[in-house]
Amino acid sequence: MTSSGTVSAAGTRISRHDDVLVAVISGELDMTSVDGIAATLFDELGTGPGGMVVDLSVSFLGSSGLSMLLELYRRARRAEIGFALVAVEAAAVRPLTASALAHVLPVTGSVDEALALVRQNRD
């Protein structure tokens, strides 16, 4: 929720870089927005892309968002689809670090780094 009391819902913008899907999540990724974002990302993962990069350009990342990212990573690994996160904003870096998920999930500092990691891991 913003300081004015209005809800800032998360949104997802999807693009492709060759066969790698890049999803940019913006806004607040919390229990009120995670279901819609998860459905979109799980559906996209189901299409069998060559890899998936999730750019966390969020203003808030709650525990439900962290759980969704962990499940997305698990599904990608099970399907042998390369996966990486981009986390630059403090709103994404802090919860990933505090939860120790930054040591579990492949986290990078840019989309270019994430694309290189995804491509390297599948070769």
Side-chain angles (χ1 to χ4, degrees):
M1 188 169 293
T2 64
S3 60
S4 65
T6 60
V7 175
S8 175
T12 308
R13 198 173 64 249
I14 306 285
S15 63
R16 292 200 180 257
H17 292 253
D18 297 319
D19 64 337
V20 178
L21 183 137
V22 177
V24 179
I25 303 174
S26 58
E28 296 182 2
L29 185 54
D30 58 17
M31 65 183 190
T32 62
S33 62
V34 73
D35 290 343
I37 300 295
T40 298
L41 295 180
F42 294 155
D43 286 350
E44 290 289 344
L45 192 64
T47 68
M52 179 179 269
V53 170
V54 179
D55 183 349
L56 297 170
S57 296
V58 295
S59 57
F60 178 80
L61 178 57
S63 60
S64 55
L66 293 170
S67 294
M68 184 269 301
L69 293 171
L70 193 57
E71 175 62 16
L72 190 62
Y73 176 60
R74 186 185 70 75
R75 290 184 187 195
R77 286 188 52 139
R78 188 175 60 209
E80 298 181 356
I81 295 171
F83 181 86
L85 296 175
V86 178
V88 178
E89 303 294 329
V93 174
R94 281 189 204 124
L96 286 167
T97 303
S99 66
L101 285 178
H103 299 290
V104 175
L105 300 171
V107 180
T108 65
S110 72
V111 171
D112 287 338
E113 284 178 39
L115 287 168
L117 180 64
V118 165
R119 290 178 176 134
Q120 171 190 340
N121 287 341
R122 71 173 181 209
D123 293 338

